[in-house]
């Protein structure tokens, strides 16, 4: 087993030095990343021009005056719905929860699986506690009138961009807490929407609460799948998650940057 792991590491390092393999999935992720960058700067321009108007529009009914802000809502909601219905176009990081993607490792160690689940659950709760405490700061500032609803929307759009920075470039949660080698192996992959829309909890209107509570449904849906079938989430019990069987290679940019940092 150790020899196999070492061989995979050596192969990965050779690929990193050689260059990035532009798989279909990686190209698609980079395309979506570019779209998120465009959305972020579009909303930022609106925010800098007239953030008071942005707050007013958030509280208007959709059919009263359809604007860029409401268009963004449809994008956010559409992305979450895609994570609640069967969708083969999503990454294996999400599809691993499905029975169709489970390729069991013969005679896998159930005790090690339980240890993995325990370790990952502890790490996940640390992430959740940190995230809620961190965002409680913004919520408190909003409740005291220091921040406005437009400020929290801008923060949400920033989180929207950071979601793909974590996937493609660097993820502090992966590095510090979860210790998973890539997004495909990530225990909290589908927490992204909940983390993204946490600031929306503090704003009491349809626009914000519809986003937050839908993201909560996505989170619960993921946690139920994990609780019922943890064997699908561990590479020691699911061959699909092993590097040698990965076809997406969306971790290449992240690993390449980390490799050269360590080399220095």
């Amino acid at each position: 087993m150790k020899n196999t792991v070492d061989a995979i590491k050596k192969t990965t390092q050779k690929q990193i030095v050689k260059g990035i393999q532009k798989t279909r999935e990686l190209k698609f992720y980079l395309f979506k990343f570019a779209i998120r960058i465009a959305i972020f700067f579009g909303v930022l321009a609106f925010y800098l021009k007239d953030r008071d108007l942005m707050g007013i529009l958030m509280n208007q009914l959709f059919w009263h005056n359809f604007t860029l802000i409401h268009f963004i809502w449809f994008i956010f909601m559409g992305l979450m719905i895609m994570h609640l219905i069967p969708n083969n176009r999503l990454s294996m990081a999400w599809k691993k929860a499905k029975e169709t993607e489970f390729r069991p490792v013969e005679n896998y160690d159930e005790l090690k699986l339980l240890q993995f689940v325990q370790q990952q659950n502890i790490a996940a709760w640390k992430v959740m506690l940190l995230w809620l405490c961190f965002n409680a700061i913004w919520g408190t500032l909003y409740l005291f009138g220091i921040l406005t609803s437009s400020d929290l929307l801008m923060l949400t759009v920033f989180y929207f961009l950071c979601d793909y920075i974590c996937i493609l470039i660097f993820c502090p949660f992966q590095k510090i807490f979860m210790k998973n080698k890539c997004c495909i192996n990530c225990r909290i992959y589908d927490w992204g929407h909940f983390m993204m829309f946490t600031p929306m909890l503090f704003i009491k209107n349809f626009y914000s609460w519809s986003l937050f509570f839908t993201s909560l449904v996505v989170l619960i849906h993921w946690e139920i799948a994990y609780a019922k079938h943890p064997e699908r989430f561990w590479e020691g019990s699911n061959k699909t998650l092993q590097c040698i069987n990965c076809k997406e290679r969306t971790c290449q940019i992240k690993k390449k940057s980390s490799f050269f940092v360590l080399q220095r």
Side-chain angles (χ1 to χ4, degrees):
M1 181 67 180
K2 186 177 184 297
N3 292 334
T4 303
V5 173
D6 291 339
I8 292 173
K9 286 183 178 179
K10 288 181 180 179
T11 302
T12 303
Q13 289 178 353
K14 287 180 181 178
Q15 290 177 343
I16 290 171
V17 173
K18 185 186 294 185
I20 294 174
Q21 179 187 357
K22 294 181 180 179
T23 62
R24 182 183 64 179
E25 289 78 9
L26 179 58
K27 289 179 181 178
F28 188 45
Y29 263 89
L30 290 171
F31 172 71
K32 291 189 290 183
F33 185 38
I35 291 176
R36 292 194 180 214
I37 291 173
I39 289 174
F40 171 75
F41 282 106
V43 176
L44 178 62
F46 189 177
Y47 172 81
L48 294 176
K49 183 177 180 180
D50 196 340
R51 70 175 188 167
D52 292 335
L53 177 60
M54 179 183 288
I56 292 171
L57 294 177
M58 280 184 66
N59 289 282
Q60 284 186 353
L61 297 176
F62 280 55
W63 51 87
H64 178 73
N65 187 18
F66 189 81
T67 66
L68 170 66
I69 302 304
H70 301 100
F71 176 70
I72 297 299
W73 182 91
F74 277 103
I75 292 177
F76 289 160
M77 190 59 69
L79 289 173
M80 287 191 284
I81 291 174
M82 286 174 62
H83 282 241
L84 291 172
I85 60 176
N87 190 345
N88 289 328
R89 294 185 178 183
L90 293 177
S91 168
M92 187 57 66
W94 179 83
K95 291 192 295 183
K96 65 174 177 276
K98 304 303 175 185
E99 183 180 2
T100 54
E101 302 299 335
F102 180 55
R103 295 169 53 198
V105 174
E106 295 180 5
N107 301 317
Y108 66 85
D109 192 326
E110 293 189 8
L111 178 59
K112 287 186 177 179
L113 172 61
L114 291 174
Q115 291 173 341
F116 167 80
V117 170
Q118 183 181 42
Q119 180 269 325
Q120 287 292 288
N121 284 342
I122 292 173
W125 279 112
K126 288 180 180 178
V127 171
M128 178 64 77
L129 181 61
L130 175 66
W131 189 252
L132 293 178
C133 290
F134 177 68
N135 282 275
I137 297 173
W138 313 124
T140 302
L141 293 175
Y142 172 75
L143 294 175
F144 278 96
I146 299 172
L147 296 181
T148 65
S149 58
S150 56
D151 295 325
L152 294 187
L153 177 59
M154 192 67 244
L155 179 62
T156 294
V157 177
F158 176 66
Y159 287 165
F160 175 65
L161 175 62
C162 288
D163 185 41
Y164 264 48
I165 293 176
C166 286
I167 292 174
L168 292 171
I169 301 172
F170 175 76
C171 178
F173 306 108
Q174 174 190 359
K175 193 73 173 177
I176 300 171
F177 298 101
M178 304 309 299
K179 306 296 183 180
N180 51 286
K181 60 185 178 180
C182 66
C183 288
I184 287 180
N185 283 271
C186 185
R187 155 75 173 84
I188 60 172
Y189 176 80
D190 222 18
W191 285 23
H193 294 106
F194 174 80
M195 299 173 82
M196 193 185 309
F197 299 118
T198 303
M200 294 290 95
L201 172 63
F202 305 106
I203 306 172
K204 191 178 180 180
N205 62 37
F206 172 79
Y207 186 102
S208 56
W209 277 11
S210 60
L211 291 174
F212 174 77
F213 285 107
T214 303
S215 74
L216 186 60
V217 172
V218 174
L219 174 68
I220 294 172
H221 179 266
W222 178 261
E223 288 303 304
I224 290 173
Y226 184 81
K228 291 176 66 176
H229 299 286
E231 69 278 1
R232 300 176 186 175
F233 293 76
W234 180 44
E235 65 172 340
S237 53
N238 188 357
K239 293 180 181 179
T240 303
L241 306 185
Q242 296 173 358
C243 290
I244 196 170
N245 297 317
C246 180
K247 298 179 181 179
E248 298 187 2
R249 307 289 182 185
T250 53
C251 63
Q252 293 179 85
I253 298 174
K254 188 185 294 183
K255 287 185 176 179
K256 189 178 180 69
S257 58
S258 298
F259 176 76
F260 285 113
V261 168
L262 290 174
Q263 287 295 96
R264 290 180 182 180

